[in-house]
Amino acid sequence: MSTRAITEAAATAAATAAAPLSLCSREPHVPADRLVAEMVPPPRFDSVRFDTYIPDPNQPSQIEAVKILGDFAEGLGGAHATGEGKRRWFSRSPKKAAAPAGPRGVYLDGGYGVGKTHLLASLWHATPAEPSLKAFGTFVELTNLVGALGFQQTVQTLSGHRLLCIDEFELDDPGDTVLVSSLLSRLVEHGVALAATSNTLPGKLGEGRFAAADFLREIQGLSAHFRPLRIDGEDYRHRGLPEAPAPYAEEIVTKAAYATPGASLDDFPQLLEHLARVHPSRYGALTDDLTAVCLTDVRPVPDQSTALRLVVLADRLYDREIPVLASGLPFDRLFSDEMLNGGYKKKYFRAISRLTALARDAKGLVAQ
């Protein structure tokens, strides 16, 4: 049975249901003020707190991390970061305006799925300040914010914050290295405390992606802002859980899309082409109001640029807890061996882990 016949049959069977949405038909415009307003923990982490983080009893570093971050949050209490609060946390004399030496933040280093983002979001929630004085975003979202506002306006916008949380901190190119080094240095001068998560120690950022040695000063400058906090453990998304479900037949995916209000249905290769026409800063808006994403004909991504765009989309879908139902190849075959052994391998493994979790979430979309 041809793909066209399958799709038409599914549509006929679900004639009373609304046609599914399409990511490929969306080209959202995201104003700069929305980018700023959305710098809060994603919906998946709305309710997380330190006391909802369950440390692995076999991993003392997880228990220690909760205590250190709790103390860090408590130390950020008081007045605005540029006033009394700044002096309290950094122990500065009221008469001195210069920023103190030494690390200004914490840097959560660990493997995939050990709960780093849970802890980072818990820190944001625990910090005693209004949401408008705290910012939370991924590294990509931070660089996109600079692109939307400009460097000086970004500094001005964030310099009044008490805390900036940066999830998935990573340097992919020399431009990002210089940009982020300059931005964080300026924010630290204004008394903004920093917290970040990554799978790479701060002194090792950029390795395997570009000539990091040529930007050693910037990388060392970034490293100096943070106190590394190692978090050991196994990927909780696979801890005690069944294997990811195998992809479904295209007919099943299509029927599920028609039967699920608010679901989208797209051909995977066409979606990859569409992502090239939408700036990654808009991928979150691309998924607005979706209840599920249904994909047909999943196949390996053709090149690294496409793969990196898919990583960003996977992050946004995971943040918003949008299940993904797919036909074709399983998600652990999206990236070639060369990609999984190259400089961006940590990004690709994270995407596989997150898409696998969303594929498990999608099992309920299939009629029993």
Side-chain angles (χ1 to χ4, degrees):
M1 192 173 187
S2 69
T3 299
R4 179 177 180 180
I6 290 172
T7 303
E8 290 179 348
T12 300
T16 59
L21 305 169
S22 171
L23 292 173
C24 292
S25 68
R26 294 183 165 192
E27 296 185 8
H29 169 70
V30 183
D33 57 353
R34 173 175 169 175
L35 294 177
V36 177
E38 290 185 343
M39 292 194 73
V40 297
R44 176 179 286 271
F45 299 99
D46 277 345
S47 61
V48 301
R49 300 295 186 272
F50 288 130
D51 58 6
T52 65
Y53 180 79
I54 303 175
D56 185 335
N58 297 316
Q59 301 293 346
S61 63
Q62 295 185 9
I63 300 173
E64 180 185 18
V66 173
K67 182 181 185 306
I68 291 175
L69 292 173
D71 292 342
F72 185 85
E74 183 178 353
L76 294 176
H80 188 275
T82 58
E84 186 63 30
K86 177 181 176 180
R87 294 194 294 270
R88 176 180 174 185
W89 173 244
F90 297 117
S91 301
R92 297 297 294 174
S93 167
K95 297 181 179 180
K96 295 182 179 180
R104 292 310 170 76
V106 289
Y107 188 100
L108 310 183
D109 170 62
Y112 314 103
V114 298
K116 298 188 303 296
T117 302
H118 183 137
L119 289 172
L120 189 68
S122 298
L123 172 63
W124 188 93
H125 288 298
T127 297
E130 294 296 322
S132 60
L133 294 179
K134 302 180 287 186
F136 185 108
T138 65
F139 180 83
V140 171
E141 289 172 322
L142 180 62
T143 56
N144 287 337
L145 181 67
V146 178
L149 299 182
F151 183 83
Q152 294 299 336
Q153 184 61 41
T154 302
V155 171
Q156 182 177 344
T157 299
L158 297 180
S159 62
H161 284 56
R162 193 168 300 171
L163 173 68
L164 171 61
C165 295
I166 310 170
D167 200 19
E168 300 156 15
F169 197 107
E170 193 58 89
L171 298 180
D172 295 330
D173 60 60
D176 281 349
T177 303
V178 176
L179 173 67
V180 175
S181 176
S182 300
L183 176 63
L184 296 189
S185 294
R186 291 285 299 277
L187 295 179
V188 165
E189 290 173 0
H190 285 85
V192 181
L194 307 174
T197 70
S198 182
N199 301 306
T200 306
L201 285 169
K204 301 292 184 179
L205 290 166
E207 287 189 354
R209 296 159 185 79
F210 60 92
D214 294 339
F215 296 87
L216 188 60
R217 183 182 65 179
E218 285 80 7
I219 293 173
Q220 289 178 338
L222 286 168
S223 179
H225 295 316
F226 298 100
R227 169 191 174 182
L229 185 60
R230 177 69 187 178
I231 302 176
D232 300 301
E234 62 177 310
D235 188 334
Y236 77 90
R237 290 187 288 270
H238 300 290
R239 193 185 304 162
L241 294 174
E243 292 295 323
Y248 293 91
E250 186 169 325
E251 181 180 11
I252 293 176
V253 173
T254 303
K255 286 183 177 180
Y258 274 86
T260 305
S264 65
L265 176 63
D266 290 279
D267 173 73
F268 185 70
Q270 291 180 6
L271 175 60
L272 295 183
E273 292 179 4
H274 183 64
L275 292 180
R277 297 189 289 270
V278 179
H279 192 275
S281 66
R282 302 176 182 176
Y283 287 4
L286 197 67
T287 67
D288 280 352
D289 304 319
L290 290 184
T291 60
V293 167
C294 297
L295 301 172
T296 59
D297 195 21
V298 170
R299 59 180 67 178
V301 294
D303 55 72
Q304 193 140 260
S305 295
T306 303
L308 291 173
R309 286 192 289 267
L310 181 60
V311 168
V312 177
L313 179 63
D315 287 341
R316 301 292 79 77
L317 292 172
Y318 183 77
D319 288 345
R320 290 158 175 77
E321 299 182 280
I322 300 175
V324 179
L325 190 70
S327 71
L329 292 179
F331 289 130
D332 60 3
R333 294 174 62 184
L334 282 172
F335 308 109
S336 67
D337 289 341
E338 182 180 2
M339 292 178 182
L340 294 178
N341 289 294
Y344 299 101
K345 62 182 179 182
K346 294 181 179 181
K347 289 180 179 289
Y348 299 145
F349 278 112
R350 184 181 76 237
I352 291 171
S353 180
R354 291 185 165 185
L355 288 171
T356 296
L358 296 177
R360 293 195 189 105
D361 293 343
K363 293 178 68 175
L365 301 177
V366 180
Q368 300 299 319

